[in-house]
Amino acid sequence: MKISTKAFGEIEIADDKIIHFPAGIIGFPELVDFALIHDEDRGIGAIHWLQSVQEPAFAMPVMDPLLVKLDYNPEVDDELLKPLGKLDPAETLVMVTVTVPSDLKKMSVNLRGPIIINAVEKKACQVIIEGEGYQVKFPIYDILNAKKAGE
């Protein structure tokens, strides 16, 4: 399928690459179909885009939380993951949303609201992690710069 996007222009997405969120995402329950886009010019690096199929102007930057927090391992109630089908850890992708403000030094990820993707079934959901163990605005600018510098 071809979709027009605000960030990437017109792109083609194979039907089998569409990720379905049965309940939508937090704050946007009506957006249920997305594609995970990689910036081809920069290679597959830290930040990807979760592009809505229904709303061309809606694309969220997302990343693997383990790139910025090596011990990220939130406990998620099994009941919340039931809509995703049988989850195999090797085929489960966890992403967190990235906030990129005008002052890049304040860039952060939301560790309390991860997106869990069943890569086999192409189903996903966003969950809220209970407790105070993970921040909504976990700063990542210094971490990414250190990785870039090879530290």
Side-chain angles (χ1 to χ4, degrees):
M1 103 172 26
K2 283 188 180 187
I3 63 171
S4 288
T5 69
K6 183 176 180 182
F8 303 102
E10 189 170 289
I11 58 173
E12 186 148 347
I13 299 169
D15 288 344
D16 66 347
K17 298 292 184 194
I18 304 231
I19 302 166
H20 183 69
F21 286 71
I25 57 172
I26 295 171
F28 301 92
E30 71 283 1
L31 301 180
V32 295
D33 292 321
F34 289 83
L36 193 57
I37 309 288
H38 312 286
D39 188 337
E40 304 267 333
D41 296 335
R42 294 187 181 149
I44 297 180
I47 297 182
H48 311 283
W49 295 86
L50 203 54
Q51 171 66 56
S52 169
V53 173
Q54 288 98 355
E55 177 50 60
F58 188 88
M60 285 191 313
V62 295
M63 70 184 305
D64 179 342
L66 296 177
L67 292 173
V68 293
K69 184 144 180 62
L70 293 175
D71 63 348
Y72 187 70
N73 189 20
E75 285 188 32
V76 179
D77 185 343
D78 289 341
E79 196 64 32
L80 297 173
L81 301 177
K82 273 190 176 174
L84 304 186
K86 185 175 182 321
L87 285 174
D88 173 355
E91 300 291 342
T92 302
L93 188 61
V94 177
M95 304 296 272
V96 291
T97 57
V98 181
T99 300
V100 185
S102 55
D103 179 356
L104 290 180
K105 291 181 178 171
K106 294 183 179 174
M107 189 181 332
S108 64
V109 292
N110 179 355
L111 297 177
R112 295 240 357 234
I115 293 167
I116 316 293
I117 303 170
N118 179 334
V120 174
E121 301 281 333
K122 301 291 188 275
K123 290 183 181 176
C125 66
Q126 185 174 21
V127 297
I128 300 295
I129 304 302
E130 298 296 325
E132 300 300 317
Y134 295 107
Q135 295 172 265
V136 171
K137 291 191 175 283
F138 180 76
I140 62 169
Y141 181 81
D142 291 337
I143 297 168
L144 292 178
N145 268 349
K147 281 185 179 281
K148 194 174 179 181
E151 293 177 15

